[in-house]
Amino acid sequence: MALRLVQVNFKARDDAALGRFWAEALGWGVSSEGPGVTNVEPVGFVWPDPVAVCVDVVTVPDPETVRYRAHIELATTSAAHHAESVARLKGLGATLADVGQGDVPWTVMADPEGNVFCVLEPREIYRDTGPIAAVVVDCADPRAMVRFWGEAIDWTVHEVTDDHAVLRSAEGVGPYLEFRRTPEAEIVGNRVHLDLLPYAGDDQAAEAARLRALGATDVDLGQGDVPWIVLADPEGNEFCVLGRPAAEA
């Protein structure tokens, strides 16, 4: 039993507008599964597939402004591509952001709703990831986090240190999932979280129970009666276990 990481979920004031930004930023297309939800994924993509972790943008009444513990990092292939990407993103409505990063070779930006992301300088490790190089989660203890997430999802652990832990799809495609040590503890809910999906034939409730045994806890965000299960990892980061469509369950 295992789960797959299928998408990064953004809370938004305007899902359609933010979805359009991220579609243009990534060179992907948009669709919608219903009012208030915009799905951003590669054109021609058959969901789910480890070649891409998609973006799901959901309108909520009051998405709080917080320092987010999860963010996306974008890949570039050359210094010129990096500069062109930053300029293009500014033209789409992104702004430069100062999160105390100091003098670094990557560029920190914020999307039109203030979600921070990074445009990385060229790095060999990200040459084949697609536009999203990594999904990064700040944490206090990367070793503990990778113990949980390494069991929670079917991804392979690539690196573990006191400061950094890295996973990637077992197929060796798509972006990396990285946990980076930060001294700041979470004090409010995240606007950005991860969505996990059971494999066909696996039971959503059984998977949620397995995650609780690994250290996850139930979270009540006022979600009410919904087809997904909201949990938090051992450091309090919310994530969702999605239900599969009836035809695939």
Side-chain angles (χ1 to χ4, degrees):
M1 297 175 69
L3 293 156
R4 65 181 84 183
L5 172 58
V6 291
Q7 60 197 25
V8 180
N9 187 295
F10 287 79
K11 298 176 184 175
R13 297 179 183 86
D14 184 339
D15 65 280
L18 191 60
R20 285 193 299 271
F21 168 84
W22 280 105
E24 292 287 341
L26 300 171
W28 290 358
V30 295
S31 62
S32 178
E33 62 196 62
V37 180
T38 297
N39 312 110
V40 183
E41 57 190 35
V43 176
F45 182 78
V46 179
W47 189 89
D49 188 316
V51 73
V53 172
C54 299
V55 173
D56 206 38
V57 186
V58 180
T59 292
V60 297
D62 184 22
E64 64 277 4
T65 300
V66 298
R67 173 173 165 76
Y68 312 120
R69 295 194 72 192
H71 69 271
I72 287 174
E73 296 191 333
L74 305 184
T76 63
T77 57
S78 66
H81 184 212
H82 178 268
E84 291 164 2
S85 296
V86 170
R88 185 173 63 85
L89 290 162
K90 286 181 180 177
L92 293 173
T95 55
L96 297 178
D98 185 351
V99 294
Q101 68 269 23
D103 184 16
V104 293
W106 59 88
T107 303
V108 183
M109 307 190 78
D111 71 19
E113 289 212 9
N115 300 294
V116 171
F117 66 96
C118 296
V119 182
L120 300 179
E121 77 285 5
R123 300 184 192 182
E124 181 65 17
I125 189 174
Y126 300 132
R127 70 187 184 284
D128 62 351
T129 60
I132 299 178
V135 179
V136 178
V137 180
D138 294 342
C139 65
D141 186 346
R143 292 186 185 275
M145 290 289 275
V146 81
R147 283 195 295 271
F148 173 82
W149 284 95
E151 293 288 338
I153 63 177
D154 64 337
W155 284 25
T156 300
V157 177
H158 281 257
E159 176 187 352
V160 182
T161 70
D162 289 342
D163 295 320
H164 195 207
V166 180
L167 301 92
R168 196 185 192 193
S169 163
E171 286 85 352
V173 295
Y176 290 81
L177 175 62
E178 304 186 11
F179 296 95
R180 297 181 188 165
R181 188 171 67 85
T182 175
E184 297 186 9
E186 180 186 12
I187 57 174
V188 292
N190 291 334
R191 278 189 65 181
V192 181
H193 69 262
L194 307 181
D195 285 342
L196 312 182
L197 181 72
Y199 278 87
D202 285 349
D203 181 75
Q204 178 194 34
E207 282 295 318
R210 183 177 68 85
L211 295 171
R212 293 184 190 103
L214 293 173
T217 54
D218 288 282
V219 176
D220 185 354
L221 301 173
Q223 64 268 22
D225 184 17
V226 292
W228 56 87
I229 298 172
V230 185
L231 299 171
D233 70 20
E235 288 204 9
N237 298 295
E238 299 100 4
F239 64 94
C240 294
V241 180
L242 305 179
R244 298 194 64 90
E248 300 180 12

